[in-house]
């Protein structure tokens, strides 16, 4: 791939092998063939426009990249690709407390935006567990979820408008600066979750929400994970909307115990953590407690932030604890809430069948499960049994009326499965949209659809 | 236009002049040229498929129609068009309380779906003021808003998946049955708000939400509407998210007084009604009251449903009261919340300049204003001065960083303005999408984009 044209773009770039290697993979465990040809570091929208105009003319594949924390191989960049690293475009352009709106460049770390809003009693609601290390642009391009989306929605629900550079270098604005608006088709929604295949987000207008006046945290242990899943389902008709409902299975509790010296698994075989918020947080927690107490072995509620942090620590420490055991491959299916218990049961059976340890944690309020497959880190490649187990987990999700991916995206890893979920006619329309937005197929080819 | 092919579609249809006349206009006050050629009444998706397949082959324009309550001319059907009346497809297919999901056909009245959910402590959150007379399909096709979208979002935020018949008669499913999911591009969002120009919705999977445990209603009078608008803006940083924040100007209050014998205008020149909900409704109302009391002439809060209904009655009676004065043309701009006061001021100036009475009510939490222009009902047509005033209101909205339409849609009435708001490149992409989904341009031509 000839990338000589890059020198005409007037943009900082590098072909240093270490830089290229650092921009090759994401956090999915799936490495592309080869290394990208170069990494470009634009400083503003005009630089992105110049790069894409030339790349389009030269038919060079471009892989937009935020922090590279993705879990689906969406930012993976193999031989011949140019990586567009957006982390230098990291200005928070404005925070308007009265409008409850912020404008940010794509390279801003999500937690930094949230902190800027916090100065005004506001927050940026979407909170992927990677909030401190992932970018707004990456969150938008993957439509990232997080812990509190049961109540506050996913990234899509906080994006009002976008500035996007199209494949041919044109800059368009979508959406609006107002909280509501229905002028024309929803191009904003089309770009959100499109994994860098339809355009490059160079600026976002984002909705902020009030920091709730109070938060209450309830932790309940259960004799088994299926009983816990059924208890979450019971909450549906309790007239309370939890902000957070995280469920950890026994394997998770044991992993945390082993790493941290805690005694979680001795207290039950599943842990459910529920947060309610707003001025009625405590009253709503009382409702939650009453529902959970019917089947839990123990329930405890607190409004003390330190105690809440301690309760949530088990959840936060899950991944680091698993990493001590082996190399984690994080899956991401979602099922209708009523099928949660079946999903846990099915995953356990798949784990046993393939001899691949699986640790499952769920954003249970959304029916979104993360089965974490663990493989031997000493192996040069992920063993076939693990990929087979992952395939069966996808199959399970579809059989239960669910989806291949609740929040991490399709990337490269789930493309093979996509027609099964979407149906052929839907998938064909999606390819038509891709061809309309990117006629020469230069934007992150081979990803998302 | 030859519609002989209709007899081959095996679907109930009519060319009765009274039926055609009844399916000609919506509630925008804008009549199309001529009358539709026929009205078709499909009973199921297969019938819709047959009609579209033949219409596409015969290049006959088809106008999908719900209840015809739209305010932008989107369902208007002139000479040569075939109207696809979806009101006979009105089954609530299922309500799954544990999943908090309902499946409904497009002709279901919004209030009926909400009532079905209510049996389980759940509700369908989007609540356009037309909830009792408009359809789920129409709400989806216009991305309808309502009173409580400040907290619970617009129709888009409650649509998980759709079954859609494409222009050529193919049936696709979009989205999912789960609360979260990111497999592929967001076609669901593309169909929502597309005003029947991209496909016909034949089934929808909808998200339900808990009926809040309590609701508190606060009514505050102000010396003028600009002070009231500023007070709403102040709420932004109070760490409370109102579910409802409705603002009525003096003209509105006088109209309601004249029609109902009330004394609202004597109590202030603007009325702001705020609802908070959830277990903390009362505590949050106390915060709201404290903020509003700084500038209001009076503030009163209640948790009694009857008293709340009385407070909201003024808002509900606004349109019927205005209808006694003349024929209302309901506009629908949105501006950043910080510009609300300027918007009210600008609208008053436009009203004075053109001698067209304007009564403005706002979903103030969203910055969404409905200036209602009133014209002489005896005139055969809307006078030019009224259309000019409407044009200046659009201009004002764009100047304040806002949008032409917060929730009613573009339809036929605002198309002329659309490129100004979207920009030429964005608008061109939208036309490309239209051509991709509907190559022969048979679906609601001349609408939306
Ligand atoms: C420990 C850990 C926890 C995680 N927790 C969660 C979680 O709770 N919820 C969740 O949803 N995800 C989670 N993730 C996954 C990941 O953090 C998210 O997918 C995140 O949104 C990726 O952001 P990024 O900046 O790292 O993007 P990258 O990984 O760099 O890129 C992701 C995709 O976005 C595209 N992209 C990036 N920037 C742009 C842009 N400006 N314009 C166009 N396209 C762009 C890339 O091409 C790629 O397709 C987690 C990951 C880790 C490692
Ligand atoms: C008194 C009153 C109050 C109102 N209050 C509000 C409000 O608070 N908020 C708000 O947003 N709107 C409001 N409206 C406007 C109107 O009710 C909404 O736009 C509503 O969503 C239209 O629904 P409908 O069933 O009447 O659709 P119609 O008017 O019949 O159609 C509207 C559009 O949807 C398309 N369409 C209808 N069904 C389908 C389908 N199944 N598939 C594809 N396309 C379809 C039509 O082609 C047309 O483009 C109000 C109207 C009135 C008269």
């Amino acid at each position: 791939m000839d990338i000589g044209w890059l020198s005409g773009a007037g943009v900082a770039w590098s072909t240093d092998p270490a830089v290229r290697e650092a921009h090759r993979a994401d956090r999915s465990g799936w490495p592309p063939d080869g290394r990208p040809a170069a990494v470009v570091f634009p400083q503003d929208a005009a630089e992105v426009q110049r790069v894409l105009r030339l790349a389009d003319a030269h038919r060079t594949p471009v892989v937009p990249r935020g922090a590279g924390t993705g879990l689906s191989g969406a930012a993976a960049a193999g031989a011949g690709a140019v990586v567009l690293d957006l982390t230098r475009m990291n200005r928070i352009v404005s925070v308007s407390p009265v409008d409850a709106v912020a404008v940010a460049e794509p390279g801003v770390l999500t937690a930094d935006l949230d902190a800027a809003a916090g100065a005004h009693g506001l927050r940026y609601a979407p909170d992927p567990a990677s909030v401190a290390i992932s970018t707004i642009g990456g969150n938008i391009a993957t439509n990232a979820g997080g812990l509190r989306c049961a109540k506050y929605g996913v990234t899509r629900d906080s994006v009002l408008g976008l500035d996007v550079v199209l494949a041919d270098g044109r800059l368009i604005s979508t959406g609006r600066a107002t909280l509501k608006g229905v002028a024309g088709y929803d191009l904003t929604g089309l770009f959100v979750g499109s994994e860098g295949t339809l355009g490059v987000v160079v600026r976002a207008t984002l909705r902020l929400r009030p920091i709730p006046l109070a938060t209450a945290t309830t932790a309940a242990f259960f004799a088994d994970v299926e009983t816990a899943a059924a208890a979450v389902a019971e909450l549906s008709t309790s007239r309370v909307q939890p902000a957070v409902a995280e469920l950890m299975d026994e394997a998770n509790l044991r992993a945390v115990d082993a790493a941290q010296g805690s005694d979680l698994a001795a207290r039950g075989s599943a842990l459910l953590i529920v947060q309610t918020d707003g001025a009625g947080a405590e009253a709503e927690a009382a409702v939650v407690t009453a529902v959970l107490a019917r089947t839990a072995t123990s329930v405890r509620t607190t409004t003390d932030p330190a105690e809440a942090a301690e309760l949530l620590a088990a959840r936060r420490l899950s991944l680091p604890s698993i990493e001590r055991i082996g190399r984690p491959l994080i899956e991401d299916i979602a099922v209708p809430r009523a099928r949660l218990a079946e999903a846990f049961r099915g995953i356990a059976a798949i784990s046993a069948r393939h001899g691949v340890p699986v640790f499952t944690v769920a954003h249970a309020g959304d029916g979104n499960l993360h089965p974490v497959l663990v493989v031997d880190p000493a192996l040069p490649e992920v063993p076939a049994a693990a990929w087979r187990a992952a395939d069966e987990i996808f199959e399970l999700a579809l059989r239960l009326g669910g989806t291949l991916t609740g929040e991490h995206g399709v990337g490269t890893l789930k493309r093979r499965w996509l027609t099964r979920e979407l149906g052929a006619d839907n998938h064909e329309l999606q390819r038509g949209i891709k061809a309309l937005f990117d006629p020469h197929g230069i934007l992150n080819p081979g990803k998302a659809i």
Side-chain angles (χ1 to χ4, degrees), chain A residues 23-414:
Chain A
H23 287 76
R24 180 179 170 226
D26 65 0
R27 300 278 287 265
S28 62
W30 182 87
D33 285 337
R35 265 188 208 150
V39 181
V40 184
F41 300 94
Q43 307 264 7
D44 59 30
E47 294 194 356
V48 174
Q49 291 187 268
R50 287 206 298 274
V51 172
L52 289 194
R53 203 175 296 130
L54 288 167
D56 197 42
H58 290 84
R59 309 286 192 266
T60 308
V62 173
V63 180
R65 185 182 179 96
T69 69
L71 293 170
S72 69
V82 167
V83 173
L84 195 65
D85 178 318
L86 293 149
T87 54
R88 294 198 189 167
M89 291 177 63
N90 61 356
R91 276 189 322 133
I92 296 175
V93 179
S94 63
V95 175
S96 166
V98 170
D99 295 326
V101 165
V103 176
E105 290 184 339
V108 170
L109 291 181
T110 312
D112 290 347
L113 179 74
D114 188 45
H120 306 280
L122 295 166
R123 71 182 182 191
Y124 178 65
D127 63 338
S130 55
V131 70
I133 53 171
S134 65
T135 68
I136 290 290
N139 292 176
I140 290 170
T142 58
N143 193 12
L147 266 57
R148 53 193 179 217
C149 30
K151 182 164 180 178
Y152 295 102
V154 293
T155 297
R156 171 70 195 98
D157 302 300
S158 288
V159 181
L160 299 172
L162 296 173
D163 285 0
V164 178
V165 178
L166 301 175
D168 62 9
R170 281 181 298 165
L171 176 67
I172 65 166
S173 293
T174 72
R176 50 190 201 273
T178 53
L179 297 182
K180 265 159 74 182
V182 291
Y185 300 144
D186 182 12
L187 293 194
T188 308
L190 207 52
F191 285 113
V192 174
S194 68
E195 300 184 357
T197 62
L198 297 181
V200 176
V201 173
V202 292
R203 185 175 277 210
T205 303
L206 302 163
R207 175 179 190 158
L208 306 174
R209 291 175 205 265
I211 299 175
L213 287 166
T215 300
T217 306
T218 303
F221 283 92
F222 293 82
D224 56 69
V225 77
E226 294 173 33
T227 309
V232 172
E234 283 295 308
L235 286 175
S236 292
T237 51
S238 70
R239 298 183 55 185
V240 164
Q241 174 67 67
V244 169
E246 295 291 310
L247 179 50
M248 296 168 72
D249 73 357
E250 185 171 4
N252 257 288
L253 299 182
R254 290 197 186 284
V256 174
D257 285 347
Q260 322 291 335
S262 49
D263 67 339
L264 297 168
R267 293 154 71 190
S269 297
L271 170 59
L272 176 66
I273 303 168
V274 175
Q275 282 194 327
T276 51
D277 65 18
E282 231 171 324
E284 296 190 351
V287 174
V288 168
T289 299
V291 173
L292 301 184
R294 285 183 218 147
T295 53
T297 52
S298 73
V299 190
R300 175 173 135 214
T301 294
T302 180
T303 53
D304 175 56
E307 215 184 321
E310 197 188 299
L311 287 173
L312 272 172
R315 168 69 180 89
R316 224 186 43 247
L317 292 169
S318 158
L319 193 59
S321 303
I322 292 170
E323 277 169 343
R324 295 203 184 187
I325 299 171
R327 174 171 170 206
L329 299 177
I330 308 176
E331 291 308 334
D332 168 48
I333 61 171
V335 298
R337 215 148 48 187
R339 316 297 295 266
L340 256 180
E342 271 170 277
F344 274 103
R345 206 178 311 142
I347 291 166
I350 292 166
S351 165
R353 191 154 52 241
H354 294 280
V356 177
V358 181
F359 302 71
T360 303
V361 55
H363 307 305
D366 305 321
N368 186 189
L369 299 103
H370 294 310
V372 181
L373 283 60
V374 174
V375 300
D376 183 347
L379 296 172
E381 285 197 341
V382 173
W387 292 129
R388 274 201 303 273
D391 274 359
E392 287 189 22
I393 289 172
F394 299 155
E395 182 111 42
L396 173 72
L398 296 182
R399 202 166 58 234
L400 295 177
T403 172
L404 298 171
T405 173
E407 57 180 20
H408 293 165
V410 170
T412 42
L413 292 182
K414 294 175 198 164

Side-chain angles (χ1 to χ4, degrees), chain A residues 423-436:
Chain A
D425 288 333
N426 176 321
H427 202 177
E428 186 195 316
L429 269 179
Q430 305 217 1
R431 288 202 204 89
I433 290 174
K434 167 71 177 173
L436 176 70

